[in-house]
């Protein structure tokens, strides 16, 4: 009660990020000297490739970088993003259609702020990334979950979307590869969904932050590549964090139609202004630089993915499909619930995550953070040795 009067209703309703909560719990246990292995974090364990770090170092010699720059981003940065968008999303844009943001997260926030009025509904495929429903609500919107489980490879269909559509639906949120499931939509699937969105005059916010992390030769097809006519109603969200191992640099962007981008830029001009110029110089080197270091990281993820999914499927009560993208394995753990495990019975994936953390000292994020209970998300962005030992502990605990 007291808290309600101290905080605004808007802020009072925001839930703490479950992923960060689990991660800090794991770190606290580690600080007590316990041998915790954490599969909770959503970041590569690699260090940023050296040519990118060198560009940042060189930028420190140029005092121009110490001053305010354009709130929308350095022109050279936006030009590099234009090339990257053409290369990977097959969309031709101009620098005036780009805003450089403090991570993909700010781009997601601003995209919803730019599009939503109170009561507007957003179709949100579930399991979804924890941040989406919060930022949709902060923009006055209503997230509408459309759930796709293991049986459909965690991919929603046009039929499901159509039955969730109402007069109030304004935006479809699309993300492929997905966090938390790693699902990658095929060209045909993207095209079908894109054509349906076009037919109904919907806007699309397409989160492409994992677009370069795909496996088995799969390619993430941008919705604007599959349906080019949709470009006038689509905002692409992206960033360097995952592909280039640059999570801490905080560099992302949004690309879209000029009027919407101008609106988002106006917001950003009052919110954060320009992104740190040094980080922008580094990101230019990332986007324009050699692909070998990036490819080496991608291959490491591809290899670990097979290792972890094999191991997870040997855990009593776990069922894990092979994901084609990102660096997460999303496990159906319903077979491990309601069983007596060392005197404790977990009834939900939240309770199971707690049990595994306290008994096996292994951290994974429960499905409750991403939608329905019954799942655990394991990130495989950690080194091979830890990965094998961590899953072995879970196998032993649940044997
Ligand atoms: N979108 C998705 C789906 C993500 O998983 C993340 C990071 N967890 C982001 C956007 C934002 O990434 P960042 O702000 O670090 O660029």
């Amino acid at each position: 009660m007291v808290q309600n009067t101290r905080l605004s209703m808007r802020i009072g309703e925001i839930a703490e990020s479950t992923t960060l909560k689990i991660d800090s719990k794991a770190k606290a246990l580690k600080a007590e000297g316990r041998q915790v292995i954490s599969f909770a974090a959503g970041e590569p364990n690699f260090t940023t490739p050296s040519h990118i770090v060198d560009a940042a170092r060189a930028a420190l010699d140029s005092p121009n970088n110490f001053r305010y720059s354009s709130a929308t981003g350095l022109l050279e940065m936006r030009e590099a993003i234009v090339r990257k968008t053409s290369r990977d999303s097959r969309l031709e844009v101009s620098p005036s259609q780009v805003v450089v943001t403090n991570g993909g997260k700010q781009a997601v926030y601003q995209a919803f702020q730019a599009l939503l009025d109170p009561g507007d509904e957003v179709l949100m495929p579930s399991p979804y990334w924890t941040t989406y429903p919060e930022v949709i609500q902060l923009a006055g919107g209503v997230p509408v979950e459309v759930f796709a489980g293991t049986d459909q490879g965690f991919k929603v269909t046009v039929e499901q979307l159509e039955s969730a559509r109402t007069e109030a639906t304004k935006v479809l949120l699309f993300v492929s590869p997905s966090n938390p499931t790693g699902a990658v939509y095929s060209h045909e699937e993207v095209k079908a969904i894109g054509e349906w969105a076009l037919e109904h005059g919907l806007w699309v916010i397409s989160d492409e932050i994992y677009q370069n992390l795909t496996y088995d030769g799969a390619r993430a097809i941008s919705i604007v590549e599959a349906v080019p006519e949709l470009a006038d109603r689509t905002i692409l969200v992206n960033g360097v964090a995952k592909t280039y191992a640059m999570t801490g640099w905080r560099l992302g962007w949004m690309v879209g139609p000029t009027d919407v981008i101008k609106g988002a830029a106006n917001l950003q001009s009052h919110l954060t202004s320009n992104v740190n110029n040094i980080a922008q110089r580094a990101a230019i080197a990332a986007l324009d630089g050699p692909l070998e270091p990036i490819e080496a990281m991608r291959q490491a993820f591809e290899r670990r993915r097979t290792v972890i999914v094999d191991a997870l499927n040997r855990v009593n009560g776990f069922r894990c499909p092979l994901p084609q993208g990102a660096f997460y394995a999303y496990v159906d753990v319903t077979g491990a619930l309601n069983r007596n495990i060392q005197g404790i019975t977990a009834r939900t994936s939240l309770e199971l995550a707690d049990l595994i953390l306290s008994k096996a000292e292994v951290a994974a994020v429960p499905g409750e953070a991403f939608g329905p209970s019954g799942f655990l998300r394991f990130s495989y962005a950690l080194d091979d040795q830890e990965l094998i030992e961590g899953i072995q502990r879970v196998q032993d605990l649940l044997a």
Side-chain angles (χ1 to χ4, degrees):
M1 267 329 257
V2 174
Q3 201 173 11
N4 283 349
T5 60
R6 289 170 62 85
L7 284 181
S8 68
M9 274 163 63
R10 198 175 60 252
I11 297 304
E13 279 171 7
I14 302 177
E16 182 188 352
S17 157
T18 313
T19 32
L20 295 186
K21 198 156 77 187
I22 300 280
D23 205 46
S24 39
K25 202 162 165 182
K27 282 181 179 137
L29 285 174
K30 258 187 197 167
E32 286 172 19
R34 298 183 47 189
Q35 301 297 312
V36 176
I37 297 180
S38 179
F39 293 85
E43 65 181 336
N45 63 318
F46 300 109
T47 189
T48 307
S50 58
H51 68 280
I52 300 172
V53 179
D54 289 344
R57 212 174 267 127
L60 288 169
D61 289 331
S62 181
N64 268 350
N65 291 323
F66 306 162
R67 311 187 70 88
Y68 288 134
S69 58
S70 160
T72 55
L74 298 171
L75 181 60
E76 298 95 310
M77 177 81 259
R78 285 179 291 131
E79 285 171 345
I81 292 165
V82 164
R83 289 188 287 277
K84 147 84 179 161
T85 306
S86 168
R87 189 166 70 228
D88 293 340
S89 306
R90 309 280 160 93
L91 179 70
E92 304 306 324
V93 292
S94 72
S96 63
Q97 291 178 261
V98 180
V99 181
V100 183
T101 58
N102 288 282
K105 209 170 240 183
Q106 187 179 11
V108 170
Y109 181 87
Q110 290 180 173
F112 284 114
Q113 287 287 333
L115 292 182
L116 297 182
D117 280 314
D120 284 343
E121 292 178 3
V122 178
L123 296 179
M124 183 179 70
S126 158
Y128 50 80
W129 179 41
T130 330
T131 292
Y132 295 141
E134 303 295 342
V135 299
I136 292 167
Q137 281 162 3
L138 279 171
V142 181
V144 176
E145 287 183 43
V146 182
F147 179 74
T150 331
D151 51 327
Q152 48 189 106
F154 300 118
K155 293 188 276 193
V156 297
T157 62
V158 168
E159 291 67 37
Q160 286 182 291
L161 292 170
E162 178 58 21
S163 51
R165 189 176 63 85
T166 71
E167 282 298 296
T169 307
K170 180 161 186 192
V171 179
L172 166 69
L173 174 63
F174 189 70
V175 47
S176 170
S178 150
N179 173 8
T181 68
V184 179
Y185 287 76
S186 71
H187 196 149
E188 296 70 41
E189 290 162 341
V190 180
K191 193 165 191 295
I193 290 173
E195 283 172 349
W196 167 84
L198 185 70
E199 180 189 339
H200 297 289
L202 300 184
W203 284 82
V204 179
I205 294 179
S206 180
D207 185 339
E208 306 193 329
I209 200 142
Y210 294 100
Q211 89 185 145
N212 298 117
L213 293 174
T214 55
Y215 315 116
D216 301 331
R219 189 167 84 81
I221 308 291
S222 177
I223 201 155
V224 290
E225 175 181 346
V227 184
E229 306 92 306
L230 209 49
D232 188 47
R233 284 181 167 269
T234 300
I235 300 178
L236 304 180
V237 170
N238 212 324
V240 294
K242 317 288 179 175
T243 306
Y244 301 92
M246 291 179 73
T247 45
W249 296 78
R250 311 310 303 136
L251 195 300
W253 59 85
M254 53 197 295
V255 169
T258 317
D259 54 345
V260 171
I261 289 300
K262 177 73 179 123
N266 290 346
L267 167 62
Q268 183 162 320
S269 74
H270 295 294
L271 192 64
T272 53
S273 298
N274 67 276
V275 172
N276 182 320
N277 294 320
I278 309 298
Q280 292 195 62
R281 297 287 173 199
I284 294 168
L287 294 189
D288 286 344
L291 291 175
E292 293 75 24
I294 310 315
E295 176 56 13
M297 293 192 276
R298 193 200 63 78
Q299 283 176 12
F301 290 138
E302 180 153 21
R303 190 189 65 243
R304 291 172 190 171
R305 172 193 67 141
T306 321
V307 173
I308 195 171
V309 170
D310 279 354
L312 285 167
N313 277 317
R314 283 197 298 272
V315 177
N316 185 9
F318 280 17
R319 195 157 60 94
C320 182
L322 188 68
Q324 280 198 304
F327 39 63
Y328 308 104
Y330 208 58
V331 192
D332 181 333
V333 297
T334 44
L337 300 179
N338 302 312
R339 245 166 57 193
N340 187 321
I341 298 158
Q342 296 191 5
I344 299 172
T345 302
R347 305 199 182 282
T348 61
S349 45
L350 189 64
E351 290 176 7
L352 185 66
D354 240 357
L355 176 71
I356 292 175
L357 183 55
S358 58
K359 300 279 185 197
E361 305 190 323
V362 167
V365 187
E368 284 82 348
F370 312 106
S373 180
F375 300 90
L376 288 181
R377 188 194 76 174
F378 289 81
S379 163
Y380 47 89
L382 66 172
D383 77 52
D384 296 53
Q385 203 47 49
E386 271 200 314
L387 191 149
I388 292 164
E389 186 187 331
I391 306 299
Q392 184 63 52
R393 288 189 199 170
V394 181
Q395 278 176 13
D396 295 345
L397 178 68
L398 301 184

